[in-house]
Amino acid sequence: MAEISSSGYKEYVAGLSAGVAVVATGHPFDTVKVMLQKHNAEAHMIQYRNGLHCTARILKTEGIKGLYRGATPSFVGMAVEGSLFFGIYSQTKVYLQGGVQSGEPRPQVIIPSAAFSGAIISFVLGPTDLIKCRMQIQGTDSLVPKSSRYSSPLDCALKTVKAEGVKGIFRGGCATLLRESIGNAVFFSVYEYVRYHMHSNIKANSSNHRNLVDIGVGIASGGLGGVAFWLTVLPLDVAKTLIQTNPDKNCPRNPFGVLSSIYQRAGLKGCYTGLGATVSRAFPANAATIVAWELALKMLGIKRD
């Protein structure tokens, strides 16, 4: 157990690099996703035909910088989240395994480790997600009056706290907690099983190209895990976006109540608003996350089971 605790901080350092990688790769897709959710799942908003239409509108009116609106809180939030999430997941997994390295993935270890880690980081991710989403929706085709728009992420945070109190910055916390705990349990289950079976099947032929094989497996397992994550919890994310961006501080905050109203108005399609942009983002962003994490672990001298 001494070896586990001494390398514990390295898991958090590796997780930080993973958090930065996901934002650098996926933020433009995330901006499109949030815009689609705000405009197409809510009544009385300008509607986009699809993700490409939304992207074209942003590029036409704001240029490439429009796709990176709200990136600052996202970088900060995901760096902290990635560090905590991967660190807590790795340490919890080791604890549940009793300090013994296990070959084949064990769902009784993976699922609680990932769900617990997701629940913990939701308290960090919730406020940064709220600021990010509010910054993202005040650009192209926004109905937010220019006089009411935020000049920076800090301005958004301060005005939110001033108008709604400290609890206002945690609006949408229930939806975020459910999204992260359920979604990450799915993500790591898919990631660990795909990784295990890919390595098992190609181990005999990979001795001369080990690093390339590891990167390829990371891309496939991380990408598929990311797609599974979002296919499972996208409705909760839609509800979270609407809760966090509603200008009425007394708006309904029960994610299932919000989803019920969306379903009545737009059906199942409404609950999966932004699916195309989300899946387009999920594979490359999560592939980059896992590759960055695994490479960082390798550079820090940590061997994965």
Side-chain angles (χ1 to χ4, degrees):
M1 292 299 288
E3 182 184 348
I4 292 168
S5 58
S6 66
S7 67
Y9 79 94
K10 296 179 181 179
E11 304 278 6
Y12 293 88
V13 174
L16 189 147
S17 67
V20 172
V22 72
V23 179
T25 311
H27 191 80
F29 295 99
D30 186 71
T31 298
V32 174
K33 170 183 74 75
V34 170
M35 292 284 285
L36 285 168
Q37 289 174 344
K38 180 65 177 176
H39 283 258
N40 288 18
E42 208 169 65
H44 314 301
M45 298 289 287
I46 296 170
Q47 303 282 299
Y48 297 115
R49 292 191 296 273
N50 50 45
L52 287 176
H53 179 217
C54 179
T55 304
R57 288 286 302 157
I58 294 172
L59 290 173
K60 182 178 179 180
T61 56
E62 300 178 73
I64 193 72
K65 69 178 183 179
L67 292 172
Y68 280 92
R69 201 182 324 111
T72 302
S74 195
F75 267 114
V76 173
M78 290 302 293
V80 175
E81 183 228 352
S83 177
L84 287 174
F85 177 69
F86 283 98
I88 293 171
Y89 171 74
S90 299
Q91 296 292 292
T92 306
K93 188 179 165 192
V94 167
Y95 174 77
L96 292 177
Q97 287 176 166
V100 178
Q101 293 279 342
S102 174
E104 190 170 353
R106 296 162 59 190
Q108 66 269 33
V109 170
I110 295 169
I111 293 173
S113 298
F116 174 67
S117 307
I120 295 296
I121 58 98
S122 71
F123 293 100
V124 175
L125 194 57
T128 58
D129 242 18
L130 180 139
I131 295 168
K132 172 187 71 68
C133 289
R134 291 188 175 188
M135 294 296 293
Q136 286 174 319
I137 66 160
Q138 64 177 16
T140 303
D141 300 323
S142 176
L143 297 183
V144 179
K146 289 191 175 182
S147 60
S148 301
R149 296 185 184 184
Y150 306 112
S151 59
S152 67
L154 180 60
D155 181 51
C156 177
L158 291 175
K159 285 182 177 176
T160 299
V161 171
K162 184 179 179 180
E164 303 179 41
V166 175
K167 67 178 182 179
I169 208 78
F170 289 94
R171 192 202 288 197
C174 178
T176 306
L177 187 147
L178 289 170
R179 184 192 71 178
E180 292 301 310
S181 55
I182 297 169
N184 281 301
V186 172
F187 171 80
F188 267 108
S189 295
V190 172
Y191 159 69
E192 295 281 14
Y193 273 95
V194 171
R195 178 179 181 273
Y196 172 77
H197 287 292
M198 287 189 72
H199 274 303
S200 298
N201 290 329
I202 61 180
K203 188 177 291 183
N205 303 315
S206 64
S207 56
N208 296 329
H209 307 283
R210 187 67 193 175
N211 289 334
L212 286 176
V213 168
D214 287 345
I215 291 173
V217 171
I219 290 172
S221 57
L224 291 172
V227 171
F229 176 108
W230 286 107
L231 288 176
T232 304
V233 299
L234 184 57
L236 286 168
D237 188 66
V238 173
K240 180 198 71 70
T241 296
L242 297 188
I243 292 168
Q244 291 182 327
T245 57
N246 194 318
D248 180 8
K249 66 180 182 179
N250 297 314
C251 69
R253 301 192 185 186
N254 183 327
F256 299 107
V258 173
L259 282 174
S260 177
S261 64
I262 294 172
Y263 183 79
Q264 290 173 13
R265 184 172 62 250
L268 188 61
K269 182 180 178 181
C271 296
Y272 276 88
T273 300
L275 177 62
T278 301
V279 173
S280 298
R281 168 187 179 270
F283 194 97
N286 286 279
T289 300
I290 289 299
V291 169
W293 180 49
E294 292 186 342
L295 286 177
L297 288 175
K298 188 178 292 186
M299 291 173 65
L300 291 166
I302 300 176
K303 190 177 185 305
R304 293 215 55 220
D305 55 333

